Amino acid sequence: MGLFDRFRGGSSARMRRPGGDAARTGSTTVRSASSADVRHLNEWVVARRGVEGFVEPRTAVNDVTLLLVAHDGEWTRRRVPSVKWAHDFCNHHRVPSYDAAVVGVPQRMREWNRRRKAGEV
């Protein structure tokens, strides 16, 4: 390949546009929510007390996620089908839900992560 071949459009090194697939963003494929994710969330919320839900919006690399945080700061995060689905899930389980982009995540979650890292949990 010559120095200017890439600009002529005739070489195999041409840049191509990403596919038109809606699940693709740039070169990253976003995995959507699965039945295993939903099952995990159901089991998790039933097994703990004082749970709150934090709905995290879709980003370039992640689909919509639901972060569940228990009273002691223990948490789990899974992909969900949509923001509406996440809020409906929380309402069904009588768990308060918040938009994480607006309110952030609770301090007790950060403290739980710190205790876990220190080997206290």
Side-chain angles (χ1 to χ4, degrees):
M1 178 168 117
L3 179 62
F4 296 105
D5 286 346
R6 75 173 55 179
F7 301 113
R8 291 188 188 123
S11 76
S12 62
R14 274 192 320 198
M15 292 184 62
R16 292 186 178 91
R17 300 181 90 179
D21 185 1
R24 287 183 53 91
T25 55
S27 63
T28 304
T29 301
V30 177
R31 181 179 73 80
S32 60
S34 69
S35 60
D37 293 328
V38 173
R39 188 171 43 256
H40 172 79
L41 290 171
N42 277 311
E43 292 169 0
W44 202 90
V45 76
V46 169
R48 286 153 184 88
R49 65 182 179 87
V51 176
E52 292 179 313
F54 296 86
V55 182
E56 299 171 319
R58 185 171 198 260
T59 66
V61 294
N62 288 321
D63 212 347
V64 177
T65 56
L66 177 59
L67 171 68
L68 297 176
V69 183
H71 77 285
D72 61 352
E74 183 183 5
W75 60 275
T76 190
R77 175 185 286 125
R78 291 293 186 273
R79 289 177 179 89
V80 294
S82 68
V83 170
K84 181 183 181 325
W85 186 97
H87 286 292
D88 290 345
F89 173 88
C90 290
N91 290 340
H92 174 76
H93 289 284
R94 297 184 180 195
V95 168
S97 62
Y98 310 98
D99 290 323
V102 175
V103 300
V105 296
Q107 182 63 33
R108 68 182 183 275
M109 178 182 154
R110 290 188 208 59
E111 291 168 0
W112 188 85
N113 287 338
R114 182 192 52 76
R115 290 191 316 268
R116 183 170 177 224
K117 188 175 182 180
E120 300 171 16
V121 177

